[in-house]
């Protein structure tokens, strides 16, 4: 069974388009995250949600908007895509503090976004 | 502010060699967690180990071992008798003891193991 899944795995699109990436976890975790990995492999947090509440909102363009319809899902919508948005986007989830293995984040397979 | 430094950008070894990946972290918090993740060529991020700041015991898992030293703020990772399948990018990361806190990653060390 897939623990953290993302769709699509690959996304190739034109500049200016709007696209969404979906993430689902079946681990029963309370917290979900979006990270961006740039071309130099550097990983940086974008957002985190705890029980559907936004916890972290790093300095990312407001073209990026996360949405958490429930604890098991955290989607990422990107408006007006730009060339610089090309990257790998990883979703992750972790248990709440106080639960076993707290703060261990488990990652999805990544979505490779290429903006042309 | 928190920071993780992996000074080794790339390491190349021949199979069966032992290799140590260095990780130095900075934080003023007394409670924190340290992690290692592996990113093989296929691209996924695989969790390897988590250590909390109160547990300085070294850990061994098969050919992998980790040396956590608070005195030097280091959390080094050693692979014994390396294999070609160990070729990957390895990331060290730090998180604080807060709900929803981010992982702060080092820049990663690319390990290439040749046969």
């Amino acid at each position: 069974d897939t623990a953290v899944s993302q769709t699509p795995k690959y996304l190739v699109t034109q500049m200016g388009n709007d696209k969404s990436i979906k993430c689902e976890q079946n681990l029963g975790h309370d917290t979900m995250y979006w990270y961006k990995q740039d071309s130099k492999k550097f990983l940086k947090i974008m957002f985190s949600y705890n029980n559907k509440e936004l916890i972290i909102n790093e300095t990312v363009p407001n073209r990026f908007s996360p949405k958490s319809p429930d604890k098991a899902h955290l989607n990422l919508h990107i408006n007006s895509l730009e060339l610089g948005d090309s990257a790998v986007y990883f979703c992750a989830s972790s248990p709440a503090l106080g639960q076993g293995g707290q703060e261990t984040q488990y990652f999805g397979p990544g979505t490779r976004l290429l903006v042309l | 502010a928190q920071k993780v430094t992996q000074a080794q950008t790339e390491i190349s070894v021949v199979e069966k060699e032992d290799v140590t990946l260095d990780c130095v972290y900075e934080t003023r918090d007394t409670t924190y967690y340290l992690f290692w993740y592996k990113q093989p060529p296929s691209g996924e991020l695989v969790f390897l180990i988590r250590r909390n700041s109160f547990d300085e015991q070294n850990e061994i898992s098969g050919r992998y071992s980790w040396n956590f030293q608070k005195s030097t703020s280091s959390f080094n990772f050693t692979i014994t008798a390396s294999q070609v399948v160990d070729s990957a990018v390895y990331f060290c990361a730090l998180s604080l003891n807060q709900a929803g806190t981010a992982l702060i990653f080092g820049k990663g060390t690319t390990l290439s193991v040749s046969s």
Side-chain angles (χ1 to χ4, degrees):
Chain A
D1 282 345
T2 305
V4 183
S5 60
Q6 294 179 227
T7 53
K9 192 167 181 180
Y10 298 96
L11 188 50
V12 181
T13 188
Q14 299 288 328
M15 259 194 332
N17 284 350
D18 301 340
K19 290 293 179 185
S20 290
I21 307 172
K22 295 186 177 180
C23 178
E24 176 180 3
Q25 53 95 4
N26 62 6
L27 298 167
H29 290 167
D30 288 332
T31 311
M32 295 185 73
Y33 310 79
W34 278 109
Y35 287 84
K36 179 180 179 181
Q37 186 173 42
D38 63 22
S39 58
K40 295 184 178 179
K41 299 276 189 182
F42 185 58
L43 281 152
K44 191 173 178 191
I45 185 73
M46 298 175 71
F47 303 102
S48 76
Y49 271 75
N50 187 51
N51 278 320
K52 300 194 325 177
E53 182 183 343
L54 182 65
I55 302 294
I56 293 175
N57 184 357
E58 282 296 302
T59 310
V60 299
N62 56 16
R63 300 182 292 102
F64 290 79
S65 52
K67 282 193 172 47
S68 183
D70 55 58
K71 270 177 31 171
H73 296 85
L74 180 62
N75 303 323
L76 183 65
H77 188 75
I78 315 170
N79 288 328
S80 303
L81 278 155
E82 299 178 357
L83 294 176
D85 297 331
S86 296
V88 182
Y89 293 86
F90 284 97
C91 177
S93 72
S94 67
L97 285 177
Q99 295 180 358
Q102 65 248 32
E103 296 307 326
T104 295
Q105 296 183 21
Y106 297 91
F107 286 80
T111 295
R112 284 141 190 86
L113 171 64
L114 177 61
V115 182
L116 302 175
Chain B
Q2 284 66 237
K3 187 179 177 182
V4 175
T5 301
Q6 293 179 255
Q8 303 149 309
T9 307
E10 294 182 14
I11 300 177
S12 294
V13 299
V14 178
E15 259 193 323
K16 298 185 184 175
E17 281 186 38
D18 299 346
V19 58
T20 295
L21 309 182
D22 297 333
C23 174
V24 173
Y25 63 92
E26 295 174 30
T27 180
R28 291 183 180 175
D29 283 49
T30 55
T31 302
Y32 52 89
Y33 301 90
L34 296 165
F35 302 82
W36 278 94
Y37 285 84
K38 174 182 180 180
Q39 188 173 38
S42 49
E44 70 271 25
L45 282 163
V46 179
F47 165 71
L48 295 178
I49 189 171
R50 177 182 65 96
R51 262 283 173 268
N52 72 46
S53 51
F54 299 113
D55 182 2
E56 282 193 77
Q57 261 193 343
N58 290 333
E59 177 140 348
I60 299 174
S61 175
R63 294 183 298 104
Y64 294 172
S65 61
W66 291 270
N67 183 327
F68 175 28
Q69 292 199 345
K70 284 177 78 170
S71 59
T72 55
S73 297
S74 64
F75 186 43
N76 296 338
F77 173 28
T78 297
I79 302 174
T80 303
S82 59
Q83 300 176 2
V84 172
V85 292
D86 296 327
S87 297
V89 182
Y90 290 87
F91 292 97
C92 181
L94 165 73
S95 76
L96 303 180
N97 193 38
Q98 298 163 12
T101 189
L103 283 170
I104 298 150
F105 284 92
K107 292 187 176 179
T109 297
T110 300
L111 175 64
S112 299
V113 183
S114 56
S115 56

